[in-house]
Every structure is written in C-alpha cells, then in structure tokens.
Amino acid sequence: MSTDSVKLLILRASPYAMRAILALEAKGVKYELIEEDLSAQSQLWLEFNPVYKKIPVLLHGGKAIPESLFIVLYVDEAWPERAAFFPKDPYARAMTHFCGDFIDKKVAHVSTYCTAQFGFTQLDAKPFFNGTGIGYADIFLAPLAAWLRLFVELAGIRAPTAEEAPKLHKFFNAIREHPATKVAFPDPDELLSYVILHLKRTMAA
Amino acid sequence: MAAEDVKLLSFWASPYAMRAILALEAKGVNYESIEENLNPKSQLLLESNPIYEKIPVLLHNGKAIPESLIIVLYVDEAWPEHGGFLPKDPYARAMTHFWSDFIDKKIFEVPFSALKAKGEEKEAALKELYDNLLTLESGFIKFDAKPFFNGSSIGYADICLAPFVAWLPVFVDLAGIRLPTAEEAPHLHKFIGAIREHPAAKVAFPDIEKLAAFSRSLQQRWAAST
C-alpha cells in the first residue's frame, strides 16, 4: 500500500483518540496528527463523520473512516504486512472481538476488571490479549491504563489489586512500557484538561 | 469440513437469534437448533455464555461463541468456502462494520423502546427511528446496494438488519412505527422486499401471527409491571 497521506483528526487525551493513535503507532504508519478544537468555527469532522459528528476521524488518501472502533479495524487491514491485531484462528478471532466489545461496553465499571481477567485467561494473555504484540482487544483496554490513576484520584474508584487481578496488572505494566503509548498517552495535565472540558460540555448539555 | 458438531442455542422470536440462523443458512451449514426456554435458563446456556447468559450462542465442536454479530463474523470465517459476508477492500470492510454498528445501535433497539413506551417518550422513539432509517438510506446509497449492502447476496450488514424486517409488521401494528416512503427511501424498500424472498429468511423469520401474539403478551406484561 500506500504513499497516500494519512491524517488523524483527534481531540487530545480522548480515550477514543488514544485507540486510533495506538493502532497507527503499532503498525508504524506515518501520519499527521491534527488536534481539533471543539469550539472552532470550521468543524472539519462534520463533513467527514456526518452520521455521528464526532472525532476521531482517519483520512487516508481521500477516504474518511470515522469512529475509533472502525479506525482500528481499518488500520489492521489496510496495513496487513506487520503487527496483526487479530490471531488467524476463527475461534480466537471471535473471542478477540468479544473481549474488545466487552471492554468497550463495560470499561468504566471496576467490577468488570475481574471479568477482563477471564478474558485474559481465555486468550492466554502473554501479557497482551494478542500475545507479545498489541492487538484489537489490547488497543481497546489500553486507554484505561492512562486514565486509571485519574479515576482513582478524582472518583475514588477502587481498582483491583495485583493479587485480585494479576494478569490485568501485568497488562497495565506492559502497556505503559509499549512504545506506542509514549505517543498515544497524554500527560496528566492534558488528561485533566480533557476531563474538565468533558464535564463542562456534559453539564451544559 | 467433515463430521462437524454445530449447535445453536436459540429462541424463536429473538431478532438476535435470527441473525445467527441467517448466517448459518446462507452458508449452508448443517446445524442443530436448540430452543431455549429462558425461564429458567438451561445449564448449557449458563455454561456457554457465563458473562451475558443470553442467546444466541453458537457451539461449534464444543467451542462456544456468544453475541449475534460475533457469531455472524465467526460463521463467515469458519466456513469461508461459501461466499464472503464482507467485501475484500479494507475501506469497504470498515464501512460495512460502521453501518452494521449503526443498524445495531440506532435501528434495532428503538422499535422495542417504542413498543414499551407511552406518550412523548413513544413519539420521540418513533421520530428517532424514522430519522435513522433515512440515514440508513444514505448508507445503502454509498454502498450502491443491489439490493443488499453485500451486492446480490446477503452479507454482514444485511444479516444485521434483516430481523428488523421480520418484526416490521408487528412494529407497525403494535407500536405505530412509520417507515419513510418508497420515494424517500427506495433502497430501504427494495431491501425489505428482497430479504423477505431470501431462502435463509424463510427459515429464520418466524410466522408473523405467532410473533404478533407473542408481542401482545409482552406488551401486557410490560404494562402490568409499570
């Protein structure tokens, strides 16, 4: 593939942006990161995501792919030559979809971290769902590693201990060391700004 | 693949189970359908889907695959020799997933909310569905659906949407659902006509009278519990 240009429109520190960045970084794709300002007059993404009117949106050679979930799937298939996000076996692929979907639906709830344990065991996580490299379900869970400290401090969430959820802790430690997260994870100040912005918008709505 | 053991834990009225049946039928897979009573849930169901405890669940040579859309993807990949449910091009594939997700979140559930709701809440659900069906029409157009998203044969997004058509007469009668007209949404109407004729739908879609009676008893139960 492609000498076609790749651009990613994001809102900095959004967990959805993080997923898209992780996917591109893991594949070693060259891309231009465009940070959008939600208050801006020209909201470019409205044209590229007319159905949901949200970012992130991936622009690749004139094609617009909206929503982090589909961006991750697209990146996996558009750059198939390395770092596959899914295993080959149909059953393992189905379980990967299941874990990613579960994480997407339930990620905010502490009690579900223990069920994420179940997922790790099912796919024999070493330490990632996808083995030694990150894959689909790992990309979905990863932003939690960036957000967890904030959840604990701001919301008093009790995260499972390393005894309760050993595989989850191994995952968090490993993901924090992964080169892709050096780019994808915001620093704590950026994260706090995002949360405040999000709270303001939610309260204003 | 020879000597396969394929079972589907199912419920005849469930639109989610219908997706799994459509996928298996479209691929010509030999399977056994096990009708679940759901009250109480069978040991097999609780063991096969411990996280959600819901049907449908596909059991293939002892492996359990839950969640209707995941089952559809699995069936596509486990029996690749009988035509693909997804296009080959990565962009078209991503957009197939996009529209299936839109169907699942913005069209599939809404009529059931309308069935349960009353007054303003019900009107809001009806309007939301109407608008979302117009948006879906734009999806059909982008895919140049002929008449299916997947061309002349059904694929992932088509299977995702199809059970909505099975329930449609019930939605119209009991919930007052309004569809965009054939002028406003020609592709949608062509899809509805075509899916009703599809051999897989003849198996998957239940008898409409039976479905109507079931829905009326559901509505009574909901009304009694509020």
Side-chain angles (χ1 to χ4, degrees):
Chain A
M1 234 202 208
S2 232
T3 49
D4 285 345
S5 77
V6 183
K7 293 185 173 74
L8 183 67
L9 274 63
I10 64 154
L11 184 60
R12 189 63 187 148
S14 140
Y16 305 103
M18 280 188 239
R19 289 171 180 173
I21 294 170
L22 283 168
L24 290 164
E25 288 291 324
K27 291 277 187 175
V29 175
K30 301 256 172 301
Y31 63 100
E32 183 192 341
L33 198 60
I34 301 172
E35 291 186 26
E36 289 289 350
D37 175 3
L38 291 186
S39 63
Q41 279 293 77
S42 88
Q43 300 182 323
L44 208 58
W45 63 91
L46 294 182
E47 184 198 325
F48 298 126
N49 187 0
V51 173
Y52 295 116
K53 303 181 175 43
K54 285 182 176 173
I55 43 180
V57 177
L58 183 75
L59 301 169
H60 183 206
K63 292 174 290 216
I65 299 99
E67 302 293 294
S68 63
L69 165 53
F70 312 116
I71 292 172
V72 173
L73 286 176
Y74 176 78
V75 169
D76 191 34
E77 297 185 346
W79 288 275
E81 33 326 319
R82 73 185 88 96
F85 292 166
F86 285 87
K88 295 231 179 323
D89 168 68
Y91 177 67
R93 291 168 71 84
M95 288 301 105
T96 304
H97 273 289
F98 182 85
C99 287
D101 178 60
F102 178 84
I103 291 162
D104 191 40
K105 282 194 183 94
K106 309 263 188 186
V107 76
H109 300 263
V110 174
S111 61
T112 66
Y113 302 167
C114 295
T115 322
Q117 263 298 110
F118 165 84
F120 284 119
T121 317
Q122 282 286 54
L123 287 171
D124 193 24
K126 292 181 165 81
F128 301 120
F129 286 101
N130 205 36
T132 51
I134 61 173
Y136 181 75
D138 306 296
I139 288 171
F140 272 74
L141 189 56
L144 189 62
W147 279 73
L148 195 54
R149 287 206 183 101
L150 203 69
F151 282 151
V152 169
E153 281 168 23
L154 287 191
I157 299 261
R158 189 189 79 73
T161 63
E163 282 72 43
E164 286 169 321
K167 289 213 171 201
L168 187 64
H169 274 259
K170 282 205 180 77
F171 173 88
F172 282 152
N173 291 335
I175 202 75
R176 285 181 183 132
E177 292 306 309
H178 195 286
T181 63
K182 311 281 184 209
V183 184
F185 282 10
D187 62 48
D189 291 329
E190 287 177 311
L191 199 50
L192 194 57
S193 305
Y194 175 85
V195 171
I196 291 168
L197 172 70
H198 187 72
L199 276 173
K200 281 195 179 137
R201 289 175 64 226
T202 317
M203 291 196 286
Chain B
M1 286 198 202
E4 301 251 44
D5 180 32
V6 186
K7 294 183 173 64
L8 182 70
L9 304 184
S10 187
F11 179 65
W12 67 275
S14 159
Y16 300 99
M18 284 179 222
R19 286 171 171 168
I21 297 169
L22 285 165
L24 290 164
E25 290 289 327
K27 290 278 185 172
V29 176
N30 281 328
Y31 66 99
E32 181 194 346
S33 189
I34 300 176
E35 189 69 7
E36 285 284 333
N37 191 359
L38 302 181
N39 188 21
K41 294 179 180 178
S42 74
Q43 199 50 36
L44 183 59
L45 174 57
L46 296 175
E47 279 167 9
S48 317
N49 190 1
I51 292 186
Y52 294 121
E53 296 182 353
K54 285 182 173 175
I55 58 98
V57 183
L58 184 73
L59 300 166
H60 184 201
N61 294 333
K63 291 178 289 210
I65 300 100
E67 298 292 286
S68 65
L69 291 182
I70 294 178
I71 292 171
V72 175
L73 274 181
Y74 176 81
V75 168
D76 192 34
E77 296 181 351
W79 288 276
E81 56 281 3
H82 297 153
F85 290 163
L86 288 159
K88 299 245 181 308
D89 170 67
Y91 178 66
R93 291 166 74 87
M95 294 318 286
T96 302
H97 279 288
F98 175 89
W99 286 106
S100 304
D101 179 72
F102 178 83
I103 289 161
D104 199 40
K105 292 198 170 87
K106 302 285 186 180
I107 290 176
F108 223 62
E109 286 287 327
V110 182
F112 292 101
S113 306
L115 268 175
K116 279 188 202 169
K118 292 188 187 21
E120 265 180 39
E121 217 185 287
K122 185 188 174 97
E123 274 313 305
L126 293 181
K127 174 157 199 329
E128 189 192 338
L129 182 65
Y130 185 89
D131 291 341
N132 291 348
L133 286 169
L134 282 177
T135 306
L136 182 63
E137 177 69 18
S138 76
F140 277 120
I141 292 170
K142 288 214 174 76
F143 267 81
D144 193 22
K146 292 183 162 78
F148 303 118
F149 280 97
N150 205 35
S152 53
S153 48
I154 59 172
Y156 183 69
D158 308 294
I159 290 172
C160 182
L161 180 60
F164 169 80
V165 178
W167 274 79
L168 193 53
V170 172
F171 292 153
V172 170
D173 281 344
L174 295 188
I177 295 283
R178 300 177 298 266
L179 287 186
T181 65
E183 282 72 43
E184 288 172 315
H187 292 83
L188 175 65
H189 281 262
K190 283 203 183 78
F191 174 89
I192 291 171
I195 198 72
R196 283 180 172 147
E197 294 306 308
H198 197 284
K202 307 278 189 198
V203 180
F205 289 8
D207 170 66
I208 200 64
E209 291 307 325
K210 200 175 164 197
L211 200 57
F214 174 77
S215 309
R216 277 190 287 266
S217 77
L218 265 186
Q219 268 192 319
Q220 280 166 7
R221 230 187 299 157
W222 288 329
S225 66
T226 45

